[in-house]
Amino acid sequence: MRPKKLDKFLLNLETEPTEGLNRRIAALIGKAAKQSSGTVFPAVALWRRIMLSKMTKVAAVIAIVVVCILAFNLFDRTSSVTWAGVIEPLLKAQTVAFDVITSDRGMVSRTRYVNQEGLVRSRQEIDTGVGKAINIFDFDRSLRLTLSPEKKVAFFTDVQTESPTQVHIGPIRELVTKIQEDPDFTIEQLDDQVIEGQSAIVFKAVADNETLTVWADAETLIPIRLEKVIQGQSVVLSNIRFDYDVDLSLFSMDAPDGYSTVQGQLDLTDLSEKDLLEGLRVWAQIFGDGQFPPMLTSMALMMQIPAYKQRLAEGTLVLTEQQKLDAGNQITKLMTYIGEMQPQQDWHYVGASILFGDTEKPIFWYKPIDSETYRVIYGDLCVKDVSAEELPR
Amino acid sequence: MAWLQTRALVGRFNKGDVYALQEIYDLHKKDMMTLAASLMFDKSVAEDVLHEVFVKLIGLQGRLRIKNMLRGYLLQAVANEARTMNRARARKESADKGKFSCRRADVDSPDGCAERTEQHQRLTAALGELPYEQREVVLLRHYGQVKFKAIAKAQGVSMSTVQARYRYGLSKLRSLLGRDL
């Protein structure tokens, strides 16, 4: 007996099910779906939603092509196609909604992003411990609505930017693309872990000095947690959900009943050193009560909000609603300006606890592009050009 | 990475996506149908077997565990269902005395003749000569790549019995098909 010959024989037996059976099975599954809890797994619901829309079909095809290309690249690098499968929802996330929680030093902000039924918006809720702030951003109109439930004030800001404003998932998508375009990028599958109570497979992608770690549900391979580390700074996105039933009213750009409104503009184009200096002044004088902050991060600002509110309540700091909005916008300009600096600009902030007006102590320095010297900013916001050898130690 | 794809598919099904079953069906329908038809020699009965397999799979939502390959699992499920159905039919057709009767009329139907090669017909006829248990072992082992241990467990007999059925089955096929095999 030669079993291999029998195997060949058996291949001749191949029998196709009839269309009748195909229909019976489809009906069976459809009936089961109706009887189930109504839960349709996100990827499938997403797929259906994508394919229902003419516009998004194009996006879906592009996403598939990207994933295929990515899969090929990864095979070349001795990794597996699984990475491509894991990041697929990230790349397809143009038509899904999801929650992101970022946390740092006990501060938590919850971000929702939606791109459905013609709305491309994000909603970020920040709880400072003494109050809540809500930011809703309309990406189509580049319009930001900031709600202060405590004061019942709605701040509308027309934001002018050179590059599209993004919430966390946007930069993550860019990072995925950037990493896979890097000729030296590597993908490593780490040991399985239990994360947020779920068994997860873990991938770590590294390119240059940027790292993206993805934890994916071990059964479904859907990402449940992401961590990106760029130049030593880490952002963790957790509690991620793709394609959940989102309440679109949460993304309304109308001021709630009973709210007073304040209109403003935020021009983030053509930012310069002047915006950096003004941002540092506002931060120290208004939010820091005369002191420069420990770090130039949004979380550092949040840590100062309780004391800032206390001064407003006591009357030691008096600002109109418009001035408050302008102050916040100035900080946004500062953060945007340093966020757009190139790595070779080598910026450093050393202003922690330095008093505003100090003429001796430097608080910040950086190297303008194509410059041989550094710009050093002191506590009184004077600026001096110095060589690298003369930089403060 | 087929096992990972399987894991993802089964994971989706267990987490509430019954439509994952549609993907499972599309992936494996041909193999399942081939096995069922080869075991039952009746296409409509074979289709009933597949239908029942999927009814039972839906009932397993949330607790379906696949240790190895999904294909092997499904083919084993088809064999189990076919065996159950065959026993019921055997009881009904007492004249067969427990031995499955090959419905030649169906196997050699005009449609089937037009589509099938002579080799196919000879093999089908030869398989029909095997006792049902031997046919199941040979098909599961060769077509489904199912291990003897798993077949033994499914048939409720010892592994040596399964191996004996396999040997007898192959020997009979060789005697029936001669040099062709």
Side-chain angles (χ1 to χ4, degrees), chain A residues 7 12 18 22 44 217, chain B residues 12 15 17 25 47 119 142:
Chain A
D7 291 342
N12 285 330
T18 63
N22 292 340
V44 178
D217 184 298
Chain B
R12 280 175 44 205
K15 289 206 168 183
D17 177 11
Y25 175 71
E47 294 197 336
Q119 193 182 51
H142 272 277

Side-chain angles (χ1 to χ4, degrees), chain A residues 283 293-305:
Chain A
W283 204 322
M295 290 180 294
L296 297 181
T297 65
S298 54
M299 287 306 160
L301 180 65
M302 292 301 160
M303 301 288 274
Q304 293 182 317
I305 294 296

Side-chain angles (χ1 to χ4, degrees), chain A residues 326-362:
Chain A
D326 291 343
N329 288 344
Q330 204 56 57
I331 299 295
T332 305
K333 286 184 179 182
L334 159 68
M335 303 288 280
T336 305
Y337 184 66
I338 59 175
E340 289 176 351
M341 279 191 179
Q342 302 296 314
Q344 64 268 28
Q345 290 189 259
D346 192 28
W347 69 268
H348 289 267
Y349 174 75
V350 291
S353 303
I354 292 176
L355 292 174
F356 176 72
D358 192 321
T359 57
E360 302 292 324
K361 292 179 182 167

Side-chain angles (χ1 to χ4, degrees), chain A residues 9 20 26 60 80 94 112 120 147 158 170 177 180 185 192 207 209 256 266 296 307 322 336 339 349 352:
Chain A
F9 262 88
S80 75
Q94 289 176 1
R112 295 179 177 89
V120 187
L147 298 174
D158 183 7
T177 308
Q180 62 101 8
F185 89 97
D192 288 6
N209 58 359
L266 175 59
L296 297 181
Q322 187 65 54
T336 305
Y349 174 75

Side-chain angles (χ1 to χ4, degrees), chain A residues 1 3 5-7 9-10 12-16 18 22 24 33 39 41 44 48 82 217-219, chain B residues 4 7-8 12 15-19 25 30 33-34 38 43 47-48 119-120 123 142 170 174 180-181:
Chain A
M1 174 60 64
K5 198 160 184 183
L6 177 59
D7 291 342
F9 262 88
L10 291 174
N12 285 330
L13 290 175
E14 277 193 348
T15 311
E16 289 278 359
T18 63
N22 292 340
R24 282 171 73 191
T39 309
F41 191 73
V44 178
R48 284 197 205 101
T82 312
D217 184 298
E219 286 190 340
Chain B
L4 265 177
R7 197 163 74 166
R12 280 175 44 205
K15 289 206 168 183
D17 177 11
V18 291
Y19 291 96
Y25 175 71
K30 193 188 280 185
M33 189 63 202
T34 299
S38 301
K43 205 164 181 179
E47 294 197 336
D48 288 344
Q119 193 182 51
H120 178 195
L123 178 62
H142 272 277
L170 286 187
R174 188 166 50 185
D180 284 348
L181 197 61

Side-chain angles (χ1 to χ4, degrees), chain A residues 1-45 48 75 79-82 189 192 198 200-201 203 217-222 224, chain B residues 1 4-5 7-12 14-23 25-26 29-31 33-34 37-38 43-44 46-48 50-51 54-55 58 61 65 116-117 119-120 122-124 127 138-139 141-143 145 166 169-171 173-174 177 179-181:
Chain A
M1 174 60 64
R2 287 172 293 175
K4 278 186 180 174
K5 198 160 184 183
L6 177 59
D7 291 342
K8 274 188 180 177
F9 262 88
L10 291 174
L11 285 177
N12 285 330
L13 290 175
E14 277 193 348
T15 311
E16 289 278 359
T18 63
E19 273 310 302
L21 179 63
N22 292 340
R23 281 196 295 273
R24 282 171 73 191
I25 297 291
L28 188 66
I29 291 167
K31 189 179 171 189
K34 280 182 190 169
Q35 289 172 345
S36 74
S37 59
T39 309
V40 176
F41 191 73
V44 178
R48 284 197 205 101
F75 273 127
S79 189
S80 75
V81 71
T82 312
Q189 184 169 5
D192 288 6
Q198 287 177 270
I201 58 170
F203 287 96
D217 184 298
E219 286 190 340
T220 63
L221 307 184
I222 298 290
I224 53 176
Chain B
M1 285 292 175
L4 265 177
Q5 289 168 349
R7 197 163 74 166
L9 198 57
V10 173
R12 280 175 44 205
N14 278 333
K15 289 206 168 183
D17 177 11
V18 291
Y19 291 96
L21 269 183
Q22 186 68 51
E23 292 177 46
Y25 175 71
D26 289 339
K29 61 185 178 186
K30 193 188 280 185
D31 288 348
M33 189 63 202
T34 299
S38 301
K43 205 164 181 179
S44 66
E47 294 197 336
D48 288 344
L50 257 68
H51 188 265
F54 275 85
V55 167
I58 287 169
Q61 186 181 351
R65 295 287 174 266
R116 291 170 181 138
T117 63
Q119 193 182 51
H120 178 195
R122 290 191 62 215
L123 178 62
T124 305
L127 282 169
V138 169
L139 285 169
R141 185 73 196 105
H142 272 277
Y143 190 70
Q145 309 294 312
Y166 176 70
L170 286 187
S171 177
L173 282 179
R174 188 166 50 185
L177 295 168
R179 282 186 303 173
D180 284 348
L181 197 61

Side-chain angles (χ1 to χ4, degrees), chain A residues 161-173:
Chain A
T161 60
E162 285 171 344
S163 56
T165 305
Q166 295 178 318
V167 288
H168 299 289
I169 201 69
I172 289 283
R173 279 200 214 110

Side-chain angles (χ1 to χ4, degrees), chain A residues 162 267-279 330 333-338 340-341 366 375 377:
Chain A
E162 285 171 344
D267 187 353
L268 295 175
T269 59
D270 296 325
L271 295 176
S272 66
E273 186 184 82
K274 187 183 159 196
D275 296 295
L276 172 63
L277 295 173
E278 183 60 10
Q330 204 56 57
K333 286 184 179 182
L334 159 68
M335 303 288 280
T336 305
Y337 184 66
I338 59 175
E340 289 176 351
M341 279 191 179
Y366 74 102
R375 299 279 285 168
I377 301 170

